[in-house]
Amino acid sequence: MTKDVLITVSGLQFETEEDEAVEVICRGEYFFRNGKHFLVYNEPTSEDENSKCIIKISEQSVEVSKKGAINVHMLFEKDISNMTYYTTLVGDILIEITTHEIIWEENPDRMSLRLTYALDMNYQHISECELTIQIDSIKGANVKGA
């Protein structure tokens, strides 16, 4: 896998009335250190704002951290519920994530992660969710120092 990658983040919330899909595609950096995969990229959150995202993937868990217009540190562990605050420009939201499934696939030029989880906000169940992250090598750059 190259250091320079194209990251596609696709999210789907299965709600009672209508499913809601979101997709972000951006360039980022990939590193492999101490048995963990790292992705670093800037995610647009509004017309003028970005959040720096760091995703850390290990065999047992996935951590997603965002800093900027949105601030959050989410931990996904299979069959475990984790709570955190999702901080936006208009205030904090208490969220709880109960992870059902973590699927990691790795190939030389493409990796993918699939998470399924339940999302609660302020102690109320909001939806069942699916998050898919696809990482593709951008040709011409190799990972150094990994």
Side-chain angles (χ1 to χ4, degrees):
M1 179 61 64
T2 60
K3 177 181 178 183
D4 295 320
V5 293
L6 186 65
I7 301 168
T8 304
V9 180
S10 303
L12 185 60
Q13 289 187 342
F14 303 100
E15 301 188 42
T16 53
E17 296 175 16
E18 188 176 316
D19 295 348
E20 185 177 327
V22 175
E23 184 173 74
V24 174
I25 301 171
C26 55
R27 290 181 73 121
E29 294 182 344
Y30 165 78
F31 303 94
F32 183 79
R33 296 221 170 88
N34 300 320
K36 295 180 175 106
H37 302 271
F38 290 86
L39 298 172
V40 179
Y41 63 98
N42 287 317
E43 180 179 271
T45 52
S46 69
E47 288 183 22
D48 299 327
E49 304 269 344
N50 285 315
S51 289
K52 181 178 182 177
C53 298
I54 300 172
I55 300 175
K56 182 171 30 171
I57 304 161
S58 67
E59 285 185 29
Q60 303 298 321
S61 66
V62 175
E63 291 181 60
V64 178
S65 296
K66 295 182 183 188
K67 292 187 179 176
I70 294 173
N71 293 291
V72 68
H73 180 257
M74 297 179 285
L75 179 59
F76 298 86
E77 298 174 288
K78 188 174 179 344
D79 298 325
I80 296 176
S81 293
N82 289 293
M83 296 180 85
T84 190
Y85 280 98
Y86 192 89
T87 303
T88 69
L89 297 173
V90 294
D92 293 347
I93 302 167
L94 179 64
I95 64 172
E96 182 176 7
I97 299 165
T98 305
T99 307
H100 305 306
E101 186 175 54
I102 301 173
I103 299 173
W104 174 250
E105 294 180 4
E106 192 173 344
N107 294 301
D109 291 325
R110 174 176 279 180
M111 296 181 285
S112 66
L113 172 69
R114 183 172 171 264
L115 298 170
T116 59
Y117 59 95
L119 176 65
D120 292 9
M121 288 186 182
N122 296 323
Y123 302 104
Q124 297 218 355
H125 181 70
I126 299 298
S127 67
E128 294 296 316
C129 303
E130 181 177 303
L131 179 69
T132 303
I133 301 173
Q134 183 173 299
I135 306 104
D136 292 297
S137 290
I138 296 177
K139 303 296 182 202
N142 291 321
V143 174
K144 294 180 179 152

